Amino acid sequence: MALSREEREQFLSEPRVAAFAVDAGEGRAPLTVPIWYQYAPGEDVWILTGLHSRKNRLLQAAGRFSLLVERVEPTIRYVSAEGPVVDTSPATIEKLREVSARYLPAEKVEGYVDFAWKNHGEQVVVRMRPERWVSSDLGSI
């Protein structure tokens, strides 16, 4: 059964690792990788990625991407959101801290942020405005 707008936005706002997909060009399947993301109902989705990464090059060429999040308990549920890139800006340590705190235990955040900021190279924040949604709750099959 399809989810309501409120249900799918709430589900996407929960801290789940997403499958990120972007067009990889002619003759290639989409690049699909797991990714941390940030979302609040009614707002844009944003991700952090390396400025010089293949992912960012493909994002800039395609101008859009999709995210798929899912769970299997207590019911099988998924939400996919797809839309255009609406902004790319330099990452800040505050954005890195925000997304890290969404996924890591509180006592691990600062250590991870310090390591990532020093070792992952220059990062960018890429914002996507969800235009198309696919969602379902299949119940407990």
Side-chain angles (χ1 to χ4, degrees), residues 34-128:
I35 196 164
W36 289 356
Y37 69 94
Q38 180 63 291
Y39 177 74
E43 296 183 7
D44 296 334
V45 174
W46 62 265
I47 62 166
L48 284 172
T49 192
L51 175 63
H52 304 293
S53 67
R54 178 172 181 242
K55 188 184 324 157
N56 192 45
R57 287 192 309 273
L58 293 172
L59 272 169
Q60 299 313 311
R64 59 191 315 109
F65 66 93
S66 64
L67 294 177
L68 170 68
V69 295
E70 65 179 326
R71 73 170 192 214
V72 294
E73 290 184 8
T75 60
I76 299 171
R77 179 177 279 199
Y78 69 87
V79 170
S80 175
E82 181 252 327
V85 171
V86 295
D87 184 63
T88 302
S89 58
T92 63
I93 199 162
E94 291 79 17
K95 287 293 186 193
L96 176 59
R97 187 174 289 112
E98 180 182 339
V99 77
S100 299
R102 180 173 159 90
Y103 292 95
L104 297 174
E107 68 275 7
K108 301 286 187 180
V109 172
E110 287 308 315
Y112 175 78
V113 167
D114 183 57
F115 173 83
W117 193 251
K118 291 176 182 173
N119 294 288
H120 288 175
E122 194 171 355
Q123 301 280 303
V124 290
V125 174
V126 181
R127 294 183 181 280
M128 178 263 279

